[in-house]
Amino acid sequence: MVKKLFFFSITAILISCNSIVNNTSVLGSIPESSYPLRGFSKVSVHPDKVLKMRTSCDLSMRIEIVQAKNYAETIVELKNRALIIGGNAVSLSKWKETTNSTYLVGKIYLCQTKPFHLHPHPIGI
């Protein structure tokens, strides 16, 4: 009887302490413009097909970004995120820009050797 009472009291205590909050919303202010981090120039933008085919490149992360910024500032944010997680090459697999926002699906790669960089970019990228 004492064992049952002890087991019941321990179970009741554990159940009452289980109050995990499931709040997934994030609040905060967005800076007006994007600023490149130190090492920004080491992250290059390549076609996704080229990075997929290279055996020296490993996909680190696929990320969807929706921002109230233009294309150039959104690419700056993507390259900054690549720096933070240790990637050195990024690619775009989807991109849509409206007058109010930019949506893109970017992929961050870690490449031992990167392909030659040919295609042009907007100023500042």
Side-chain angles (χ1 to χ4, degrees):
M1 181 69 176
V2 174
K3 287 183 181 181
K4 288 183 182 180
L5 183 60
F6 178 74
F7 178 73
F8 177 72
S9 62
I10 293 295
T11 305
I13 290 171
L14 291 176
I15 290 172
S16 66
C17 292
N18 190 9
S19 59
I20 299 172
V21 179
N22 288 331
N23 187 3
T24 58
S25 64
V26 178
L27 301 174
S29 61
I30 299 173
E32 291 298 318
S33 60
S34 300
Y35 302 100
L37 297 175
R38 188 178 320 137
F40 176 83
S41 61
K42 305 242 188 274
V43 179
S44 55
V45 180
H46 301 277
D48 192 46
K49 188 174 183 179
V50 171
L51 293 176
K52 276 185 190 177
M53 292 174 49
R54 294 192 63 92
T55 57
S56 65
C57 294
D58 294 319
L59 177 64
S60 298
M61 178 184 286
R62 178 186 177 275
I63 187 168
E64 292 183 47
I65 301 175
V66 179
Q67 290 190 337
K69 296 180 179 183
N70 63 19
Y71 171 79
E73 290 180 337
T74 307
I75 293 296
V76 169
E77 293 292 330
L78 178 64
K79 289 175 74 173
N80 283 344
R81 291 175 192 200
L83 272 174
I84 290 170
I85 68 163
N88 61 2
V90 296
S91 68
L92 300 179
S93 56
K94 289 185 184 177
W95 167 58
K96 184 189 279 187
E97 189 173 12
T98 64
T99 56
N100 298 330
S101 65
T102 301
Y103 166 80
L104 64 85
V105 176
K107 294 181 181 175
I108 300 172
Y109 289 87
L110 177 59
C111 298
Q112 293 173 357
T113 59
K114 289 195 280 186
F116 188 71
H117 193 69
L118 281 177
H119 57 283
H121 292 286
I123 294 177
I125 296 179

